[in-house]
Amino acid sequence: MYTDLPEAELRAYRSALREPDDFDAFWADTLAEARACEGDLAVTPLDSPLTGLDVFDVAFPGFAGQSVRAWLRVPRGATGRLPTIVQYVGYGGGRGHPLENLLWAAAGFAHLQMDTRGQGSGWSRGDTPDLAGAGPQAPGMATRGIEDPRRYYYRRFLTDAVRAVDAARRLPAVDPGRVAVLGHSQGGGAALAAAALVPDLRAAVAYVPFLCDIPRAVTVTDAHPYREIRDYLAVHRDREEAVLRTLGYVDGVAFARRAGVPARFSVALMDDIVPPSTVFAAVNAYRGPVELAVWRYNGHEAGGIDDDAAALDFLRTALDG
Amino acid sequence: MYTDLPEAELRAYRSALREPDDFDAFWADTLAEARACEGDLAVTPLDSPLTGLDVFDVAFPGFAGQSVRAWLRVPRGATGRLPTIVQYVGYGGGRGHPLENLLWAAAGFAHLQMDTRGQGSGWSRGDTPDLAGAGPQAPGMATRGIEDPRRYYYRRFLTDAVRAVDAARRLPAVDPGRVAVLGHSQGGGAALAAAALVPDLRAAVAYVPFLCDIPRAVTVTDAHPYREIRDYLAVHRDREEAVLRTLGYVDGVAFARRAGVPARFSVALMDDIVPPSTVFAAVNAYRGPVELAVWRYNGHEAGGIDDDAAALDFLRTALDG
Amino acid sequence: MYTDLPEAELRAYRSALREPDDFDAFWADTLAEARACEGDLAVTPLDSPLTGLDVFDVAFPGFAGQSVRAWLRVPRGATGRLPTIVQYVGYGGGRGHPLENLLWAAAGFAHLQMDTRGQGSGWSRGDTPDLAGAGPQAPGMATRGIEDPRRYYYRRFLTDAVRAVDAARRLPAVDPGRVAVLGHSQGGGAALAAAALVPDLRAAVAYVPFLCDIPRAVTVTDAHPYREIRDYLAVHRDREEAVLRTLGYVDGVAFARRAGVPARFSVALMDDIVPPSTVFAAVNAYRGPVELAVWRYNGHEAGGIDDDAAALDFLRTALDG
Amino acid sequence: MYTDLPEAELRAYRSALREPDDFDAFWADTLAEARACEGDLAVTPLDSPLTGLDVFDVAFPGFAGQSVRAWLRVPRGATGRLPTIVQYVGYGGGRGHPLENLLWAAAGFAHLQMDTRGQGSGWSRGDTPDLAGAGPQAPGMATRGIEDPRRYYYRRFLTDAVRAVDAARRLPAVDPGRVAVLGHSQGGGAALAAAALVPDLRAAVAYVPFLCDIPRAVTVTDAHPYREIRDYLAVHRDREEAVLRTLGYVDGVAFARRAGVPARFSVALMDDIVPPSTVFAAVNAYRGPVELAVWRYNGHEAGGIDDDAAALDFLRTALDG
Amino acid sequence: MYTDLPEAELRAYRSALREPDDFDAFWADTLAEARACEGDLAVTPLDSPLTGLDVFDVAFPGFAGQSVRAWLRVPRGATGRLPTIVQYVGYGGGRGHPLENLLWAAAGFAHLQMDTRGQGSGWSRGDTPDLAGAGPQAPGMATRGIEDPRRYYYRRFLTDAVRAVDAARRLPAVDPGRVAVLGHSQGGGAALAAAALVPDLRAAVAYVPFLCDIPRAVTVTDAHPYREIRDYLAVHRDREEAVLRTLGYVDGVAFARRAGVPARFSVALMDDIVPPSTVFAAVNAYRGPVELAVWRYNGHEAGGIDDDAAALDFLRTALDG
Amino acid sequence: MYTDLPEAELRAYRSALREPDDFDAFWADTLAEARACEGDLAVTPLDSPLTGLDVFDVAFPGFAGQSVRAWLRVPRGATGRLPTIVQYVGYGGGRGHPLENLLWAAAGFAHLQMDTRGQGSGWSRGDTPDLAGAGPQAPGMATRGIEDPRRYYYRRFLTDAVRAVDAARRLPAVDPGRVAVLGHSQGGGAALAAAALVPDLRAAVAYVPFLCDIPRAVTVTDAHPYREIRDYLAVHRDREEAVLRTLGYVDGVAFARRAGVPARFSVALMDDIVPPSTVFAAVNAYRGPVELAVWRYNGHEAGGIDDDAAALDFLRTALDG
């Protein structure tokens, strides 16, 4: 059932999000610091039972140069530099198993699937630690360090997302001029951030992106992971201002206002995990051209394989052009 | 948590299932009738965005010669006859989308994924009708025609499963001497039936198979789909005997007693959809050699991709030998 | 609690339902076909422990002439032709047990309670099969054949409802000029259809009728049975248009626009199974005179026995006049 | 699913209930006190729309002579004294509406349906107050006055049950030598009490009786109404002994040990409101002949109309003999 | 999540509550009657392990002179008359244990915590019976005697609340000129009543008060205890008018219109037990000065210890002035 | 209801826990390392509204010398060294608010309530970060670093617990020879660890202690926080051995085998968060004298204030002796 705004109001909805004044400086500094760190890019071929694809275990320097893992999947026997998809995954998951998620490489792309620091135990496995201590927090990642923008978990995660693109471009199989970012939910939030923070991508695909219009999100759903933030504020009653300020640095609406590459979004009108108004908040703020799929009868699974099939078309156009 | 028997008792558990006296004749007649029906095998290449695989839309004659759909996926450019996996899917799902489920063909097998008649609207799409009227039933498939073994839904479905193997062997990409069957849950039940009813398969893989030791199953879980049978009996209080007799013709324990090919099972000790005792009932009744994976902390998802990876190894051995 | 529109808006609510252009032709053809079919009317007296009522097992020709069952209950020793109530039952139920539902005959009416094809296993028993195969569907009846109006389950069920009136009029105990239709929920939807499609009834009683303003219903409740339709659309994402077109042929709002006999509706403001706005959609579209009971604090049980008592008064007036 | 003992253990289960030493004196005194009270028996004919039955509003003196209401339903035009059923209703309900519950009179019996003091607001209406103050209690009736046997709610209710039989025998339509008691759940508990405390009944029917083997019941189900007692003990941690002592005076196992008339019980193996072991505790303790219906796939609804149909047969035999 | 009105509308919300015409006379008579009753004030020192506080078991005459219990806690060794807090507790609880709730006396106040008649078994213990019989009711207190204002449970409870202040002023440790009332939820409702009915208090503290704007409350939440009233009306469908009239005598909005002492309220925007609009209804109707704490991310726990800390400041000012 | 073993089996239950061979060395090294770290003990008086108690904000060096916060509450004006209770709190909570938890100091003890690193956002606030990065984990603390005993969260937390005692003994208000430890749930697990690892305590109080017999616990409850470990193992299917080995270093059964001071335990037979068998595992393994409270009708709240009152008696004896 619909629990958010009526569809007509959704389509017109604009977020009142106020970004911190130093938003751009914050991210410029953050990325400069990360890029200044040492850190190796390691690519290890995997002995897999696959005959049509090659899979590589990648380790690249992320936030603070910390090593972040990824899978690289490429069509077997591909030569030359390929159009490339960098993928970020949803909340709770990690890069998973090398035998999962074969679609993108089977369709002829180089496909770099970034692991998620400190997650990877909820529905798919991960292998990357989150090397930072944390103050008091609600269970989960969404409040780890939330009272200080510089110590907030999502600063590290989004920096990893940008650095994954940097790393991809250094891989022999990747055509650095033809890179797109893609993700579901939390991964969609990361794709928006990368689209804003990396100047020369070719496209972004954000399925039901998490982390958009967060101040509204935490009041219109009780579901996790937004619930973690609400739970934190329910206990730390005097920290609303500090918490909302921190969240302003990672809100997808702010990234949407800055991103110019063609983007494909999907939104589900019965989504109670990522409320549709929060997706429209990003869509309606997006600076570049937008293609939008509205799924009227779906929850957070949104378009599923239908989203993937349409994304393949969208990316073929964007990356082959 | 564990709600079924303790692990030691599970490992020793044997079902008290009584098969109908005419079990073998019932299936011999059923298959003979089905094979006597007309019905074309149609194979239509699909225009897909995949570059590493070819996908074909297959229609083959199933129960009563009715047309049943399937996807055939093969490595692009494969020549010669391939070792082949015939897959059946879980309850509520259909053959899904051609871009899903790429693992088996990406690993070099021919992969025929059978649609499920009348289902295919719960979590993956299907395209095959169930051409049979039905008496009063609980919502779902598990009680459609349940008072008469010859009109029961699962007689039709399991016949389709056997006929899918027959069809696979007629496909140019398939080596008819190297065919295995595989499935999860309801699909695992189908794999057991095919292993018993098709004499010359090479292997069977049954992940947390549904439809085993049904008289026990309906008393030890409240979850769907076994719940459908309980709900039927709760309303049709005087039909217990007839219903249990019908179920005796489709119980995986009976098929296990007859199947001789090497089989790989998986069972999850926290599975409340397919209770582990019902899987052990089939495992402990299986006539041929068994490889068993016990997942102590999983529910019905069981080993997931870990099951797949192990199944790939198992099938490589079984089909390449 | 109230989850639908505020009461003042409910009272003014008008559905935007668009009927298919050939709605009237569709039903005229459908009924003509059904009436052209062969089929016997069988009436078998039951040996029951009741001393005040006689109960008969009735079989009459429904859709496509298929045999549909019913109970006929009449006051013992009644002579002459009686005012008559034809009743349809709610989703999941069948005609139940002959010893149930004694009120109407105990109040002096002839009472024909129609069985529901293919249902009758959810909360009361049924004895009538649904003799039609079906394509992929969600569990339950509401999506069986939903992509084709001519194959949709509710075309068959509503035709049965009309044919039940036809059959009633041929029974010796029934005064064919004094027949009313009545039902709860799905049965209320059937009563509306009969009121529209049978020209010379005397009255209709629809308690919290199902199947009204369906396009809205599937977006304002998550509860079954409307949920079945949503679930179907969530998987078959590309079939919204076809599905809504089919539903347009069975929507109670369309029937309400055509029905002229006096009608009594009930609606419950806390009903989350049949949302009150969908009932007001039918009430406010109804062509004939309407008596409406609004239950402010009830869910789908609505007025219960209070609805029955008021319906008895309403029907006495309507049928005795 | 089954959550209580396995069926074989259920059939052998015997309660360890210890009755208070003065159990018999307690009830003898209680009934003597009640019978010594003044109090009128009033019988008022109702103007109902029924043509086959007559309904009377009855008020009779119950515990402490307090007025308790009931409905008397008799076949219209019946002459002479009829075999009679006195019915008690389930927890939360009252005598309901005169137009409900027509089966017994339609089958030729006089039928006195007793109201439940202080309840009658949960699923059917009641009209009888509980004229007694109460100490601290959990919401509901099951702990009202629970720390003192003489002030406990169920002392009053069960006394009403006995006095209802006394009253019935004074009604002109009732044959005082042919009276049976009947009830579901709480009403079944009352029927057991009446069977033990009224010497010359002809039969008792107890469907899934509540209030049997209470010390076990409160540890094997979390469902209401047994939950009320558990909740009370969870707060009043030091009152276990006093509470269990009080409950010993109203436990159906104690009544079963004393009742000699033929009894029909029903039990449902998936009943989580009245756990089946607690019913078997009464069945296996019953002094007189027992007929038992075991419903393997039902919850607390047990045999429903099938129980009623069988009870009609049982009562016909018992009351017509 | 927010399920009530948006915050801006909440802040402007005004209840349409219509009070009975004789509201003031009703309460004047009720209190006059109560004060005319005999009844002793007993104060018994407790032997507790506390070294910093003294605790006394108090019994005072409440409604109809019935004995109501309370705990009095005072700083050990305090001499002279102290500023005093009279506290009422939330639904289901009683005065609890003498070792609980030490904050107020540890902060230097005399603290009289009133028991709740007939409750005290839900989450904290009570020792006070409700000496009144009751007609049919839903489980719980909120419908006990609800059809007659003079027999309604909350008439007795609120009279106790006023009489607790009367009693406090007679205690040697209490400065009768410096008394405030305080409570959470149901206790907040009592504090509002006392603030309106006792002319010379110094302050009132109502945390998320229950019993305000009840006609709205029962339609905007399904949670207990408001649910009890809805459940009653769902069964007693014809009693809406009588029930709403009775509730008009105890509604906190009516008391707020009459109370002039400084008040501190708290409201929680995610409270689904006491919907925030019903608290704003009282806040916006309050005749005296109001201090309001709005907790945006909390449910019914509201400000918890933060509310207490702020209340301490508020009361220090109000009582020391 | 009871879902664990029957009471008689509980009382006899002994855990099969195998401790790692180097268990004692592991803890000796860990504590030696911690004690070797620098780190100040800071005690800051708080300006509170309390008149009977003094509250101090304490910071002491915990694991790796990291600063851990605590509240110290003492009777106002106390002179000399007091018997002292060091308290650890339950999962998700922190040291809370200085105005909470006044009982122990009001009873004359010095009371040091340790904060919980990285928690303190679930139900009470905390102020202490967990200064350690973590690998992939399930949301919550129970799997942070779980694959390596030296990096596991509970190694740090339990070291803090020991160091809190060390710190307490350096406080002027504390009599170092009269210190007891106390905690609920997770805090009870910490009390057991401290009782084993600190040689010269006087007593330990463990209410429904968490972290005991963990291998069993994760298979007999689905509730959090044990659920976190199960969820981790459900995804990291190949890590069972490593995970169970790590848990062996923090299991309360191992600590119980080593602790000799008098201990008071409580256990609740309806506890589904800390299953009673896991508490009996610790009780039955405890080396020293045990006092045990068994609460038959409670869940995880166990004896609540009744546990506190009894603990006060127990501690008075133990600490005053």
Side-chain angles (χ1 to χ4, degrees), chain B residues 107-118:
Chain B
F109 295 96
H111 173 225
L112 186 76
Q113 182 180 12
M114 184 181 90
D115 204 6
T116 311
R117 58 170 58 227

Side-chain angles (χ1 to χ4, degrees), chain C residues 57-168:
Chain C
D57 187 350
V58 174
F60 69 87
F63 178 86
Q66 293 162 0
S67 178
V68 176
R69 307 288 284 277
W71 298 123
L72 173 69
R73 298 183 185 91
V74 293
R76 171 149 304 179
T79 57
R81 291 180 166 272
L82 296 169
T84 299
I85 299 169
V86 176
Q87 182 178 5
Y88 313 110
V89 301
Y91 189 84
R95 62 175 180 168
H97 195 284
L99 298 184
E100 295 174 308
N101 198 8
L102 307 182
L103 175 63
W104 311 100
F109 295 94
H111 173 225
L112 185 77
Q113 182 180 11
M114 184 180 91
D115 204 5
T116 310
R117 59 169 60 227
Q119 300 188 21
S121 302
W123 50 271
S124 69
R125 281 203 283 270
D127 303 286
T128 302
D130 179 33
L131 296 178
Q137 62 162 104
M141 294 291 157
T143 64
R144 191 178 281 184
I146 199 168
E147 299 204 3
D148 178 350
R150 293 188 59 82
R151 305 183 62 142
Y152 187 36
Y153 172 80
Y154 277 115
R155 179 177 179 241
R156 298 191 293 279
F157 169 72
L158 295 178
T159 300
D160 293 348
V162 168
R163 295 291 287 145
V165 176
D166 294 348

Side-chain angles (χ1 to χ4, degrees), chain E residues 303-318:
Chain E
I305 189 68
D306 294 304
D307 267 336
D308 288 338
L312 271 183
D313 285 348
F314 171 80
L315 291 168
R316 189 78 72 199
T317 303

Side-chain angles (χ1 to χ4, degrees), chain F residues 191-299:
Chain F
L192 286 178
L197 296 174
V198 181
D200 48 359
L201 292 170
R202 293 286 278 272
V205 176
Y207 304 72
V208 287
F210 180 57
L211 291 176
C212 297
D213 205 16
I214 309 175
R216 173 175 171 87
V218 297
T219 67
V220 295
T221 180
D222 278 340
H224 287 271
Y226 280 125
R227 175 64 174 265
E228 296 175 14
I229 297 169
R230 177 220 149 152
D231 285 351
Y232 187 90
L233 289 167
V235 171
H236 299 268
R237 294 184 186 87
D238 57 341
R239 307 300 298 158
E240 181 182 10
E241 187 178 330
V243 164
L244 293 184
R245 180 173 173 273
T246 293
L247 292 169
Y249 289 97
V250 301
D251 198 302
V253 169
F255 292 121
R257 290 168 180 163
R258 287 157 174 82
V261 292
R264 179 182 163 85
F265 287 81
S266 66
V267 63
L269 299 193
M270 296 188 182
D271 191 343
D272 58 354
I273 292 176
V274 168
S277 59
T278 66
V279 178
F280 277 101
V283 167
N284 292 336
Y286 199 80
R287 188 169 66 83
V290 169
E291 176 177 311
L292 172 66
V294 177
W295 304 107
R296 283 194 179 75
Y297 305 98
N298 286 92

Side-chain angles (χ1 to χ4, degrees), chain D:
Chain D
M1 60 185 288
Y2 293 166
T3 57
D4 205 327
L5 302 172
E7 187 174 341
E9 294 180 36
L10 286 174
R11 290 186 179 273
Y13 176 72
R14 301 194 79 85
S15 168
L17 181 81
R18 287 183 307 185
E19 304 160 9
D21 292 341
D22 64 342
F23 180 93
D24 292 299
F26 176 87
W27 280 109
D29 292 353
T30 294
L31 295 178
E33 282 173 32
R35 285 175 173 140
C37 291
E38 304 284 319
D40 291 327
L41 174 63
V43 182
T44 311
L46 223 74
D47 182 25
S48 95
L50 300 179
T51 59
L53 306 175
D54 290 317
V55 188
F56 301 86
D57 186 352
V58 174
F60 70 87
F63 178 85
Q66 292 161 3
S67 178
V68 175
R69 307 289 283 278
W71 298 123
L72 173 69
R73 298 182 186 92
V74 293
R76 172 150 303 179
T79 57
R81 292 181 165 272
L82 297 168
T84 298
I85 299 169
V86 176
Q87 180 177 6
Y88 313 110
V89 300
Y91 189 85
R95 63 174 178 170
H97 195 283
L99 298 184
E100 295 174 309
N101 199 7
L102 307 182
L103 175 64
W104 311 101
F109 296 95
H111 173 226
L112 186 76
Q113 182 180 11
M114 185 180 92
D115 204 6
T116 311
R117 60 168 58 229
Q119 300 187 20
S121 304
W123 51 272
S124 69
R125 280 203 284 271
D127 302 286
T128 302
D130 180 33
L131 296 177
Q137 61 163 104
M141 294 291 157
T143 63
R144 191 176 281 183
I146 198 167
E147 299 204 5
D148 178 351
R150 293 188 59 81
R151 304 184 62 143
Y152 187 35
Y153 171 80
Y154 278 114
R155 179 178 179 240
R156 299 192 292 280
F157 169 72
L158 296 179
T159 301
D160 292 347
V162 168
R163 295 293 286 147
V165 176
D166 294 349
R169 285 171 164 164
R170 294 166 59 197
L171 298 170
V174 172
D175 178 347
R178 290 192 293 162
V179 177
V181 288
L182 172 150
H184 299 72
S185 198
Q186 175 186 261
L192 286 178
L197 297 174
V198 180
D200 47 359
L201 291 171
R202 292 285 279 272
V205 176
Y207 304 71
V208 287
F210 180 55
L211 291 176
C212 298
D213 205 16
I214 308 175
R216 173 175 171 87
V218 297
T219 66
V220 296
T221 180
D222 277 341
H224 287 273
Y226 281 125
R227 176 63 176 267
E228 297 175 15
I229 297 170
R230 177 218 149 155
D231 285 349
Y232 187 89
L233 290 167
V235 171
H236 299 269
R237 295 183 185 87
D238 57 341
R239 309 298 299 158
E240 180 182 11
E241 187 178 331
V243 163
L244 293 183
R245 181 172 173 274
T246 293
L247 292 170
Y249 289 99
V250 301
D251 198 302
V253 169
F255 292 122
R257 290 168 180 163
R258 286 156 175 83
V261 293
R264 179 182 163 85
F265 286 81
S266 67
V267 63
L269 299 193
M270 296 189 182
D271 191 342
D272 58 354
I273 293 177
V274 167
S277 58
T278 66
V279 177
F280 277 100
V283 167
N284 292 335
Y286 199 81
R287 189 168 66 83
V290 168
E291 176 177 312
L292 172 65
V294 178
W295 304 108
R296 282 195 179 76
Y297 305 98
N298 287 91
H300 196 50
E301 77 284 3
I305 189 70
D306 293 304
D307 267 336
D308 288 336
L312 271 183
D313 285 349
F314 171 79
L315 290 170
R316 188 80 71 198
T317 303
L319 292 174
D320 286 356

